[in-house]
Amino acid sequence: MSTGPKSNKEILIGEGLDALHKESREWLNIIAFWKDEARFFTDLLDKEQVKASEYGQMLQYLDKIHETLFDYLAADIVEHEKLLSRLIKGEKGLSDQDFREKHSNIRDQMDLFTKDFMEFKKMVFGYAKKL
């Protein structure tokens, strides 16, 4: 058993980065699910009764905004995953700490977006019940 210092590559490939990678992959799956839900909402809100109401139109616009935000968030996560790959390969000039900070920022964005999207869903379903 070696008690000497670990190489940078050994430190970077530690279990912590694996867990962060798994979390990033889960985020991408969540976003894909949200996009499916957004398509459902678009279909639900794409009725003449809805189009005629200002509130319904507002929900349609919000739905389109969410879809765009999904794409931006997914793109950020994919770029983040590319950085992880470069870290694991031991590319010089990259910081494990910078990666972890970016991961934390994306986690905060996902948490906020999850809460906001849940509120949006409540609005859509509440409105649809009234039709």
PDB file of all heavy atoms in Angstrom, residues 8-35:
ATOM      1  N   ASN A   8      -1.969  13.960  -9.886  1.00  0.00           N
ATOM      2  CA  ASN A   8      -3.138  14.803 -10.167  1.00  0.00           C
ATOM      3  C   ASN A   8      -4.245  13.992 -10.818  1.00  0.00           C
ATOM      4  O   ASN A   8      -5.406  14.179 -10.522  1.00  0.00           O
ATOM      5  CB  ASN A   8      -2.743  15.970 -11.072  1.00  0.00           C
ATOM      6  CG  ASN A   8      -1.995  17.037 -10.323  1.00  0.00           C
ATOM      7  OD1 ASN A   8      -2.057  17.096  -9.101  1.00  0.00           O
ATOM      8  ND2 ASN A   8      -1.279  17.875 -11.039  1.00  0.00           N
ATOM      9  N   LYS A   9      -3.868  13.104 -11.737  1.00  0.00           N
ATOM     10  CA  LYS A   9      -4.872  12.313 -12.440  1.00  0.00           C
ATOM     11  C   LYS A   9      -5.626  11.419 -11.458  1.00  0.00           C
ATOM     12  O   LYS A   9      -6.839  11.278 -11.548  1.00  0.00           O
ATOM     13  CB  LYS A   9      -4.222  11.488 -13.545  1.00  0.00           C
ATOM     14  CG  LYS A   9      -5.216  10.904 -14.494  1.00  0.00           C
ATOM     15  CD  LYS A   9      -4.546  10.365 -15.721  1.00  0.00           C
ATOM     16  CE  LYS A   9      -5.614   9.923 -16.702  1.00  0.00           C
ATOM     17  NZ  LYS A   9      -5.078   9.487 -17.960  1.00  0.00           N
ATOM     18  N   GLU A  10      -4.922  10.812 -10.508  1.00  0.00           N
ATOM     19  CA  GLU A  10      -5.590   9.957  -9.515  1.00  0.00           C
ATOM     20  C   GLU A  10      -6.570  10.773  -8.665  1.00  0.00           C
ATOM     21  O   GLU A  10      -7.656  10.318  -8.363  1.00  0.00           O
ATOM     22  CB  GLU A  10      -4.560   9.281  -8.611  1.00  0.00           C
ATOM     23  CG  GLU A  10      -3.780   8.189  -9.288  1.00  0.00           C
ATOM     24  CD  GLU A  10      -2.672   7.646  -8.403  1.00  0.00           C
ATOM     25  OE1 GLU A  10      -2.482   8.145  -7.288  1.00  0.00           O
ATOM     26  OE2 GLU A  10      -1.988   6.741  -8.849  1.00  0.00           O
ATOM     27  N   ILE A  11      -6.178  11.967  -8.311  1.00  0.00           N
ATOM     28  CA  ILE A  11      -7.049  12.826  -7.501  1.00  0.00           C
ATOM     29  C   ILE A  11      -8.288  13.212  -8.304  1.00  0.00           C
ATOM     30  O   ILE A  11      -9.407  13.160  -7.807  1.00  0.00           O
ATOM     31  CB  ILE A  11      -6.287  14.091  -7.039  1.00  0.00           C
ATOM     32  CG1 ILE A  11      -5.194  13.691  -6.042  1.00  0.00           C
ATOM     33  CG2 ILE A  11      -7.240  15.095  -6.411  1.00  0.00           C
ATOM     34  CD1 ILE A  11      -4.216  14.799  -5.720  1.00  0.00           C
ATOM     35  N   LEU A  12      -8.107  13.568  -9.573  1.00  0.00           N
ATOM     36  CA  LEU A  12      -9.222  14.021 -10.396  1.00  0.00           C
ATOM     37  C   LEU A  12     -10.208  12.911 -10.724  1.00  0.00           C
ATOM     38  O   LEU A  12     -11.385  13.163 -10.913  1.00  0.00           O
ATOM     39  CB  LEU A  12      -8.699  14.639 -11.701  1.00  0.00           C
ATOM     40  CG  LEU A  12      -7.940  15.946 -11.541  1.00  0.00           C
ATOM     41  CD1 LEU A  12      -7.384  16.395 -12.874  1.00  0.00           C
ATOM     42  CD2 LEU A  12      -8.834  17.009 -10.951  1.00  0.00           C
ATOM     43  N   ILE A  13      -9.740  11.682 -10.806  1.00  0.00           N
ATOM     44  CA  ILE A  13     -10.633  10.589 -11.174  1.00  0.00           C
ATOM     45  C   ILE A  13     -11.327  10.038  -9.931  1.00  0.00           C
ATOM     46  O   ILE A  13     -12.023   9.054  -9.984  1.00  0.00           O
ATOM     47  CB  ILE A  13      -9.862   9.492 -11.945  1.00  0.00           C
ATOM     48  CG1 ILE A  13      -9.282  10.094 -13.213  1.00  0.00           C
ATOM     49  CG2 ILE A  13     -10.729   8.318 -12.298  1.00  0.00           C
ATOM     50  CD1 ILE A  13      -8.460   9.146 -14.035  1.00  0.00           C
ATOM     51  N   GLY A  14     -11.187  10.670  -8.831  1.00  0.00           N
ATOM     52  CA  GLY A  14     -11.794  10.203  -7.590  1.00  0.00           C
ATOM     53  C   GLY A  14     -13.291  10.051  -7.682  1.00  0.00           C
ATOM     54  O   GLY A  14     -13.936  10.520  -8.599  1.00  0.00           O
ATOM     55  N   GLU A  15     -13.839   9.376  -6.699  1.00  0.00           N
ATOM     56  CA  GLU A  15     -15.266   9.080  -6.670  1.00  0.00           C
ATOM     57  C   GLU A  15     -16.124  10.340  -6.759  1.00  0.00           C
ATOM     58  O   GLU A  15     -17.194  10.324  -7.339  1.00  0.00           O
ATOM     59  CB  GLU A  15     -15.593   8.313  -5.391  1.00  0.00           C
ATOM     60  CG  GLU A  15     -17.008   7.844  -5.326  1.00  0.00           C
ATOM     61  CD  GLU A  15     -17.235   7.004  -4.099  1.00  0.00           C
ATOM     62  OE1 GLU A  15     -16.696   5.894  -4.041  1.00  0.00           O
ATOM     63  OE2 GLU A  15     -17.941   7.483  -3.190  1.00  0.00           O
ATOM     64  N   GLY A  16     -15.668  11.428  -6.206  1.00  0.00           N
ATOM     65  CA  GLY A  16     -16.439  12.663  -6.237  1.00  0.00           C
ATOM     66  C   GLY A  16     -16.768  13.129  -7.642  1.00  0.00           C
ATOM     67  O   GLY A  16     -17.882  13.529  -7.922  1.00  0.00           O
ATOM     68  N   LEU A  17     -15.800  13.065  -8.543  1.00  0.00           N
ATOM     69  CA  LEU A  17     -16.050  13.482  -9.919  1.00  0.00           C
ATOM     70  C   LEU A  17     -17.015  12.525 -10.609  1.00  0.00           C
ATOM     71  O   LEU A  17     -17.829  12.948 -11.424  1.00  0.00           O
ATOM     72  CB  LEU A  17     -14.742  13.589 -10.704  1.00  0.00           C
ATOM     73  CG  LEU A  17     -13.836  14.755 -10.317  1.00  0.00           C
ATOM     74  CD1 LEU A  17     -12.548  14.732 -11.124  1.00  0.00           C
ATOM     75  CD2 LEU A  17     -14.547  16.084 -10.492  1.00  0.00           C
ATOM     76  N   ASP A  18     -16.918  11.246 -10.277  1.00  0.00           N
ATOM     77  CA  ASP A  18     -17.864  10.280 -10.844  1.00  0.00           C
ATOM     78  C   ASP A  18     -19.300  10.634 -10.442  1.00  0.00           C
ATOM     79  O   ASP A  18     -20.210  10.566 -11.260  1.00  0.00           O
ATOM     80  CB  ASP A  18     -17.550   8.855 -10.373  1.00  0.00           C
ATOM     81  CG  ASP A  18     -16.270   8.299 -10.970  1.00  0.00           C
ATOM     82  OD1 ASP A  18     -15.794   8.858 -11.975  1.00  0.00           O
ATOM     83  OD2 ASP A  18     -15.744   7.315 -10.419  1.00  0.00           O
ATOM     84  N   ALA A  19     -19.463  11.008  -9.194  1.00  0.00           N
ATOM     85  CA  ALA A  19     -20.799  11.383  -8.711  1.00  0.00           C
ATOM     86  C   ALA A  19     -21.293  12.647  -9.412  1.00  0.00           C
ATOM     87  O   ALA A  19     -22.473  12.747  -9.762  1.00  0.00           O
ATOM     88  CB  ALA A  19     -20.776  11.588  -7.195  1.00  0.00           C
ATOM     89  N   LEU A  20     -20.399  13.596  -9.640  1.00  0.00           N
ATOM     90  CA  LEU A  20     -20.783  14.822 -10.333  1.00  0.00           C
ATOM     91  C   LEU A  20     -21.153  14.526 -11.785  1.00  0.00           C
ATOM     92  O   LEU A  20     -22.100  15.099 -12.320  1.00  0.00           O
ATOM     93  CB  LEU A  20     -19.652  15.859 -10.260  1.00  0.00           C
ATOM     94  CG  LEU A  20     -19.270  16.332  -8.855  1.00  0.00           C
ATOM     95  CD1 LEU A  20     -18.133  17.337  -8.928  1.00  0.00           C
ATOM     96  CD2 LEU A  20     -20.463  16.904  -8.112  1.00  0.00           C
ATOM     97  N   HIS A  21     -20.408  13.627 -12.409  1.00  0.00           N
ATOM     98  CA  HIS A  21     -20.730  13.215 -13.781  1.00  0.00           C
ATOM     99  C   HIS A  21     -22.112  12.580 -13.824  1.00  0.00           C
ATOM    100  O   HIS A  21     -22.934  12.903 -14.694  1.00  0.00           O
ATOM    101  CB  HIS A  21     -19.673  12.231 -14.296  1.00  0.00           C
ATOM    102  CG  HIS A  21     -20.059  11.543 -15.556  1.00  0.00           C
ATOM    103  ND1 HIS A  21     -20.195  12.218 -16.756  1.00  0.00           N
ATOM    104  CD2 HIS A  21     -20.345  10.246 -15.811  1.00  0.00           C
ATOM    105  CE1 HIS A  21     -20.549  11.347 -17.692  1.00  0.00           C
ATOM    106  NE2 HIS A  21     -20.651  10.152 -17.138  1.00  0.00           N
ATOM    107  N   LYS A  22     -22.382  11.702 -12.881  1.00  0.00           N
ATOM    108  CA  LYS A  22     -23.696  11.031 -12.829  1.00  0.00           C
ATOM    109  C   LYS A  22     -24.807  12.062 -12.657  1.00  0.00           C
ATOM    110  O   LYS A  22     -25.847  11.976 -13.309  1.00  0.00           O
ATOM    111  CB  LYS A  22     -23.724  10.022 -11.682  1.00  0.00           C
ATOM    112  CG  LYS A  22     -25.010   9.256 -11.595  1.00  0.00           C
ATOM    113  CD  LYS A  22     -24.999   8.264 -10.443  1.00  0.00           C
ATOM    114  CE  LYS A  22     -26.337   7.570 -10.369  1.00  0.00           C
ATOM    115  NZ  LYS A  22     -26.453   6.706  -9.203  1.00  0.00           N
ATOM    116  N   GLU A  23     -24.573  13.041 -11.799  1.00  0.00           N
ATOM    117  CA  GLU A  23     -25.576  14.084 -11.585  1.00  0.00           C
ATOM    118  C   GLU A  23     -25.823  14.876 -12.871  1.00  0.00           C
ATOM    119  O   GLU A  23     -26.966  15.175 -13.221  1.00  0.00           O
ATOM    120  CB  GLU A  23     -25.139  15.015 -10.457  1.00  0.00           C
ATOM    121  CG  GLU A  23     -26.190  16.036 -10.087  1.00  0.00           C
ATOM    122  CD  GLU A  23     -25.804  16.872  -8.882  1.00  0.00           C
ATOM    123  OE1 GLU A  23     -24.605  17.209  -8.726  1.00  0.00           O
ATOM    124  OE2 GLU A  23     -26.707  17.194  -8.099  1.00  0.00           O
ATOM    125  N   SER A  24     -24.757  15.199 -13.595  1.00  0.00           N
ATOM    126  CA  SER A  24     -24.904  15.920 -14.867  1.00  0.00           C
ATOM    127  C   SER A  24     -25.723  15.111 -15.862  1.00  0.00           C
ATOM    128  O   SER A  24     -26.573  15.658 -16.568  1.00  0.00           O
ATOM    129  CB  SER A  24     -23.527  16.224 -15.468  1.00  0.00           C
ATOM    130  OG  SER A  24     -22.819  17.139 -14.678  1.00  0.00           O
ATOM    131  N   ARG A  25     -25.482  13.819 -15.937  1.00  0.00           N
ATOM    132  CA  ARG A  25     -26.232  12.959 -16.847  1.00  0.00           C
ATOM    133  C   ARG A  25     -27.720  12.924 -16.438  1.00  0.00           C
ATOM    134  O   ARG A  25     -28.608  12.945 -17.286  1.00  0.00           O
ATOM    135  CB  ARG A  25     -25.663  11.533 -16.872  1.00  0.00           C
ATOM    136  CG  ARG A  25     -24.202  11.422 -17.280  1.00  0.00           C
ATOM    137  CD  ARG A  25     -23.828  12.084 -18.577  1.00  0.00           C
ATOM    138  NE  ARG A  25     -24.598  11.563 -19.690  1.00  0.00           N
ATOM    139  CZ  ARG A  25     -24.658  12.093 -20.891  1.00  0.00           C
ATOM    140  NH1 ARG A  25     -23.991  13.192 -21.157  1.00  0.00           N
ATOM    141  NH2 ARG A  25     -25.376  11.564 -21.844  1.00  0.00           N
ATOM    142  N   GLU A  26     -27.972  12.878 -15.143  1.00  0.00           N
ATOM    143  CA  GLU A  26     -29.355  12.912 -14.643  1.00  0.00           C
ATOM    144  C   GLU A  26     -30.034  14.219 -15.033  1.00  0.00           C
ATOM    145  O   GLU A  26     -31.207  14.232 -15.411  1.00  0.00           O
ATOM    146  CB  GLU A  26     -29.387  12.731 -13.128  1.00  0.00           C
ATOM    147  CG  GLU A  26     -29.058  11.329 -12.680  1.00  0.00           C
ATOM    148  CD  GLU A  26     -28.907  11.210 -11.165  1.00  0.00           C
ATOM    149  OE1 GLU A  26     -29.138  12.198 -10.434  1.00  0.00           O
ATOM    150  OE2 GLU A  26     -28.534  10.115 -10.713  1.00  0.00           O
ATOM    151  N   TRP A  27     -29.303  15.323 -14.947  1.00  0.00           N
ATOM    152  CA  TRP A  27     -29.862  16.616 -15.334  1.00  0.00           C
ATOM    153  C   TRP A  27     -30.283  16.608 -16.791  1.00  0.00           C
ATOM    154  O   TRP A  27     -31.349  17.122 -17.137  1.00  0.00           O
ATOM    155  CB  TRP A  27     -28.851  17.732 -15.106  1.00  0.00           C
ATOM    156  CG  TRP A  27     -28.560  18.049 -13.676  1.00  0.00           C
ATOM    157  CD1 TRP A  27     -29.336  17.785 -12.585  1.00  0.00           C
ATOM    158  CD2 TRP A  27     -27.394  18.697 -13.183  1.00  0.00           C
ATOM    159  NE1 TRP A  27     -28.714  18.229 -11.454  1.00  0.00           N
ATOM    160  CE2 TRP A  27     -27.526  18.795 -11.783  1.00  0.00           C
ATOM    161  CE3 TRP A  27     -26.243  19.195 -13.792  1.00  0.00           C
ATOM    162  CZ2 TRP A  27     -26.555  19.384 -10.983  1.00  0.00           C
ATOM    163  CZ3 TRP A  27     -25.271  19.782 -12.993  1.00  0.00           C
ATOM    164  CH2 TRP A  27     -25.428  19.875 -11.602  1.00  0.00           C
ATOM    165  N   LEU A  28     -29.453  16.038 -17.646  1.00  0.00           N
ATOM    166  CA  LEU A  28     -29.796  15.983 -19.066  1.00  0.00           C
ATOM    167  C   LEU A  28     -31.056  15.145 -19.294  1.00  0.00           C
ATOM    168  O   LEU A  28     -31.897  15.499 -20.130  1.00  0.00           O
ATOM    169  CB  LEU A  28     -28.620  15.443 -19.886  1.00  0.00           C
ATOM    170  CG  LEU A  28     -27.419  16.388 -19.979  1.00  0.00           C
ATOM    171  CD1 LEU A  28     -26.239  15.689 -20.641  1.00  0.00           C
ATOM    172  CD2 LEU A  28     -27.777  17.668 -20.716  1.00  0.00           C
ATOM    173  N   ASN A  29     -31.210  14.068 -18.533  1.00  0.00           N
ATOM    174  CA  ASN A  29     -32.429  13.253 -18.630  1.00  0.00           C
ATOM    175  C   ASN A  29     -33.652  14.023 -18.140  1.00  0.00           C
ATOM    176  O   ASN A  29     -34.730  13.935 -18.732  1.00  0.00           O
ATOM    177  CB  ASN A  29     -32.279  11.949 -17.848  1.00  0.00           C
ATOM    178  CG  ASN A  29     -31.325  10.981 -18.509  1.00  0.00           C
ATOM    179  OD1 ASN A  29     -31.140  10.997 -19.723  1.00  0.00           O
ATOM    180  ND2 ASN A  29     -30.691  10.141 -17.709  1.00  0.00           N
ATOM    181  N   ILE A  30     -33.488  14.774 -17.069  1.00  0.00           N
ATOM    182  CA  ILE A  30     -34.591  15.592 -16.543  1.00  0.00           C
ATOM    183  C   ILE A  30     -35.009  16.625 -17.580  1.00  0.00           C
ATOM    184  O   ILE A  30     -36.204  16.828 -17.824  1.00  0.00           O
ATOM    185  CB  ILE A  30     -34.178  16.262 -15.211  1.00  0.00           C
ATOM    186  CG1 ILE A  30     -34.068  15.216 -14.101  1.00  0.00           C
ATOM    187  CG2 ILE A  30     -35.166  17.369 -14.831  1.00  0.00           C
ATOM    188  CD1 ILE A  30     -33.397  15.730 -12.834  1.00  0.00           C
ATOM    189  N   ILE A  31     -34.034  17.273 -18.193  1.00  0.00           N
ATOM    190  CA  ILE A  31     -34.347  18.291 -19.196  1.00  0.00           C
ATOM    191  C   ILE A  31     -35.073  17.666 -20.384  1.00  0.00           C
ATOM    192  O   ILE A  31     -36.037  18.240 -20.902  1.00  0.00           O
ATOM    193  CB  ILE A  31     -33.070  19.038 -19.636  1.00  0.00           C
ATOM    194  CG1 ILE A  31     -32.558  19.905 -18.476  1.00  0.00           C
ATOM    195  CG2 ILE A  31     -33.329  19.894 -20.872  1.00  0.00           C
ATOM    196  CD1 ILE A  31     -31.172  20.491 -18.695  1.00  0.00           C
ATOM    197  N   ALA A  32     -34.646  16.482 -20.806  1.00  0.00           N
ATOM    198  CA  ALA A  32     -35.333  15.786 -21.910  1.00  0.00           C
ATOM    199  C   ALA A  32     -36.786  15.502 -21.524  1.00  0.00           C
ATOM    200  O   ALA A  32     -37.697  15.673 -22.345  1.00  0.00           O
ATOM    201  CB  ALA A  32     -34.601  14.496 -22.266  1.00  0.00           C
ATOM    202  N   PHE A  33     -37.020  15.110 -20.288  1.00  0.00           N
ATOM    203  CA  PHE A  33     -38.383  14.864 -19.809  1.00  0.00           C
ATOM    204  C   PHE A  33     -39.187  16.162 -19.803  1.00  0.00           C
ATOM    205  O   PHE A  33     -40.341  16.194 -20.232  1.00  0.00           O
ATOM    206  CB  PHE A  33     -38.343  14.234 -18.416  1.00  0.00           C
ATOM    207  CG  PHE A  33     -39.701  13.984 -17.834  1.00  0.00           C
ATOM    208  CD1 PHE A  33     -40.500  12.955 -18.310  1.00  0.00           C
ATOM    209  CD2 PHE A  33     -40.190  14.788 -16.807  1.00  0.00           C
ATOM    210  CE1 PHE A  33     -41.760  12.723 -17.777  1.00  0.00           C
ATOM    211  CE2 PHE A  33     -41.440  14.559 -16.269  1.00  0.00           C
ATOM    212  CZ  PHE A  33     -42.230  13.529 -16.755  1.00  0.00           C
ATOM    213  N   TRP A  34     -38.584  17.234 -19.324  1.00  0.00           N
ATOM    214  CA  TRP A  34     -39.272  18.527 -19.313  1.00  0.00           C
ATOM    215  C   TRP A  34     -39.657  18.954 -20.724  1.00  0.00           C
ATOM    216  O   TRP A  34     -40.723  19.516 -20.940  1.00  0.00           O
ATOM    217  CB  TRP A  34     -38.388  19.599 -18.694  1.00  0.00           C
ATOM    218  CG  TRP A  34     -38.253  19.553 -17.205  1.00  0.00           C
ATOM    219  CD1 TRP A  34     -39.059  18.906 -16.314  1.00  0.00           C
ATOM    220  CD2 TRP A  34     -37.251  20.199 -16.431  1.00  0.00           C
ATOM    221  NE1 TRP A  34     -38.614  19.101 -15.038  1.00  0.00           N
ATOM    222  CE2 TRP A  34     -37.502  19.896 -15.071  1.00  0.00           C
ATOM    223  CE3 TRP A  34     -36.151  20.982 -16.752  1.00  0.00           C
ATOM    224  CZ2 TRP A  34     -36.706  20.362 -14.043  1.00  0.00           C
ATOM    225  CZ3 TRP A  34     -35.356  21.456 -15.722  1.00  0.00           C
ATOM    226  CH2 TRP A  34     -35.639  21.146 -14.386  1.00  0.00           C
ATOM    227  N   LYS A  35     -38.784  18.712 -21.684  1.00  0.00           N
ATOM    228  CA  LYS A  35     -39.093  19.076 -23.066  1.00  0.00           C
ATOM    229  C   LYS A  35     -40.312  18.297 -23.565  1.00  0.00           C
ATOM    230  O   LYS A  35     -41.160  18.857 -24.268  1.00  0.00           O
ATOM    231  CB  LYS A  35     -37.883  18.817 -23.963  1.00  0.00           C
ATOM    232  CG  LYS A  35     -36.778  19.829 -23.773  1.00  0.00           C
ATOM    233  CD  LYS A  35     -35.581  19.500 -24.628  1.00  0.00           C
ATOM    234  CE  LYS A  35     -35.478  20.506 -25.733  1.00  0.00           C
ATOM    235  NZ  LYS A  35     -34.260  20.350 -26.522  1.00  0.00           N
TER     236      LYS A  35
END
